[in-house]
Amino acid sequence: MCTSCRGRERTVLESIPHATPRANDKAEWIAGEQRAGQHPEAHVHFDLDRDAFTVVAPAELDNEMEIDL
């Protein structure tokens, strides 16, 4: 389990397929941009079901894309 999420619901901000060249680097860059902006707790997960790197942040009550990963 991710220690940053601590069982909280997350919002997926971006999903980058594993097959994309330098997918992890791109996801980390996007997470850094999100941390500097609206989502200070944004970070990267690897989603086995989607075979993709996902940039996630703790869900907020008014988010429309809340999903439990």
Side-chain angles (χ1 to χ4, degrees), residues 17-66:
H18 184 250
T20 302
R22 299 182 61 181
N24 187 37
D25 292 338
K26 289 179 182 182
E28 291 291 351
W29 182 82
I30 291 168
E33 291 291 307
Q34 291 291 335
R35 282 191 297 273
Q38 282 186 272
H39 304 282
E41 294 185 61
H43 56 282
V44 176
H45 283 199
F46 186 76
D47 186 332
L48 292 173
D49 294 332
R50 296 180 188 175
D51 194 29
F53 291 94
T54 56
V55 179
V56 299
E60 296 177 17
L61 297 176
D62 59 348
N63 278 347
E64 296 176 27
M65 288 184 47
E66 290 183 10

Side-chain angles (χ1 to χ4, degrees), residues 1-36:
M1 175 180 282
C2 174
T3 57
S4 296
C5 293
R6 293 180 215 92
R8 297 181 289 179
E9 288 190 22
R10 296 159 287 212
T11 298
V12 175
L13 304 172
E14 190 82 31
S15 182
I16 302 166
H18 184 250
T20 302
R22 299 182 61 181
N24 187 37
D25 292 338
K26 289 179 182 182
E28 291 291 351
W29 182 82
I30 291 168
E33 291 291 307
Q34 291 291 335
R35 282 191 297 273

